[in-house]
Amino acid sequence: MLGRILIVEDEEAIAAFVQTALERDGFTVKWIGNGADALEAVDSFQPDLLILDLTLPGLDGLQICQAVRQREVYLPIIMLTARAEDTDKIVGLEVGADDYVTKPFNARELVARVRAILRLARRSTGRRSSNRLSFGQLEIDLDGRQVFRAGRAVDLAPKEFDLLVTLARAPGRVFGRDTLLELVWGYNFGGDSRTVDVHVQRLRRKLEENPHEPRYLLTVHSIGYKFAANQGE
Ligand code: CA
């Protein structure tokens, strides 16, 4: 089975166009037209990927995206946006969308992105053995909260560990600084996004062979950070 895709889109014509293209490619697709029902549909349909329109009745796309990201289970999200402005694109990434597509778009392009994101998500899941994540020389023991580099334990502070795990659980996904601040330090933390930069620098010094040319913890210009999708291959 190729995968289950949930489309949340209030414009029926666009939803039908996307659904047809995905079904033709072998995906199982469910469409809902209302943001308020999105989270319930995520629970009942159990999609492998979510295609989310930005402007919706009920909850909007950003609110749904944020709510999904607060859950334990990682679900890839592609945002559909009618507005081309860069700010909206970045906002989509700030709340944790994996990708975005600006309307009007080409069905083939959207299907290609769906495939690429699912491939990435499955590869990182496939490498997960019990409660360990491993990437080349780097191994993360989630239960023991320990990190090993080339077999040797690396001493990390608790927030350094949490930050690393947040990024490493979704290789290739771009996280904005504010998103990382919320995910790792929590909503009520008084610090600013510099905190994230400082911790990434410390992690690089501890984990990277050359902290100035990192292979694992990559900077995404003007947005934030991502864990490399192809390290050690
Ligand atoms: Ca809409």
Side-chain angles (χ1 to χ4, degrees), residues 62 85-97 100 176 179 221-223:
L62 295 180
E85 295 99 87
D86 281 345
T87 46
D88 281 331
K89 293 178 179 178
I90 290 169
V91 165
L93 293 169
E94 281 288 348
V95 297
Y100 55 84
T179 306
H221 182 63
S222 82
I223 298 179

Side-chain angles (χ1 to χ4, degrees), residues 65-74 93-97 145 158-170 173-189 196 225:
C65 195
Q66 272 171 325
V68 169
R69 285 293 170 251
Q70 279 162 16
R71 296 177 168 204
E72 288 284 300
V73 181
Y74 171 66
L93 293 169
E94 281 288 348
V95 297
R145 291 182 62 87
K159 290 298 180 202
E160 291 169 2
F161 181 84
D162 293 340
L163 178 60
L164 175 65
V165 169
T166 301
L167 291 165
R169 270 192 164 137
R173 186 182 140 199
V174 177
F175 289 86
R177 287 180 173 78
D178 291 340
T179 306
L180 288 169
L181 211 54
E182 283 174 12
L183 290 172
V184 176
W185 282 268
Y187 284 98
N188 299 321
F189 179 69
V196 176
Y225 297 98

